[in-house]
Amino acid sequence: MPLSEHEQRMLEQMERALYAEDPKFATALEGNGLRTFTRRRVYLAVVGFLVGIALLMAGMVAQQIIWVSVVGFLVMLGCAVLAVTGWRKAPKPGEQPAGGAQARRQVRPKRSVMDRIEERWQRRRDEQGH
């Protein structure tokens, strides 16, 4: 639900007052959103992926220590999954975060396959007039 004009004006006044009172704190608050958190998470996952590659190569060079290569591969795999899921969950610029109240209202409860089949069966019976 969007804010009314009065609420938007009040919010803008509060933002201006915050900038006037403590501009350093206000600019620090701007970058702490979900988008910067997920971006930071993706960057850390990329760094972890590179560390995994280094471990994999170190294990290949030192043929005696095979477990280093296995750990490197697992680190690479975990970081790749973390980066991809973080990238997909990141909100687009100007988009509301997915964890808001509207998203919670739109989530449907999980239904079993049998419940969905039964619902379709009832819909067909109702459409046919039985």
Side-chain angles (χ1 to χ4, degrees):
M1 172 184 250
L3 297 175
S4 68
E5 289 182 31
H6 175 68
E7 292 170 333
Q8 287 178 350
R9 276 184 276 149
M10 293 294 291
L11 183 62
E12 289 172 5
Q13 287 176 355
M14 289 175 14
E15 287 175 354
R16 280 186 293 226
L18 179 63
Y19 275 105
E21 187 175 313
D22 194 356
K24 187 175 180 181
F25 178 68
T27 54
L29 285 179
E30 282 180 345
N32 287 337
L34 178 64
R35 186 161 182 250
T36 53
F37 172 74
T38 52
R39 184 183 303 151
R40 188 176 310 134
R41 184 176 166 189
V42 169
Y43 290 151
L44 288 175
V46 168
V47 169
F49 188 83
L50 295 175
V51 168
I53 289 176
L55 286 173
L56 184 68
M57 292 301 196
M60 297 295 280
V61 169
Q63 295 175 356
Q64 304 288 329
I65 310 173
I66 190 80
W67 61 270
V68 174
S69 293
V70 172
V71 169
F73 176 75
L74 291 176
V75 167
M76 287 172 50
L77 183 66
C79 289
V81 168
L82 189 67
V84 169
T85 57
W87 190 263
R88 287 184 182 170
K89 290 181 181 180
K92 306 290 184 268
E95 187 178 68
Q96 290 288 338
Q102 290 178 343
R104 280 187 289 237
R105 277 188 239 127
Q106 293 175 354
V107 173
R108 289 190 225 163
K110 297 270 184 184
R111 296 182 302 168
S112 69
V113 174
M114 289 304 294
D115 289 341
R116 288 183 287 179
I117 292 173
E118 189 174 325
E119 183 180 317
R120 287 180 193 158
W121 178 260
Q122 288 296 329
R123 243 187 289 142
R124 285 184 189 144
R125 288 186 69 203
D126 291 342
E127 287 174 359
Q128 292 176 356
H130 291 128

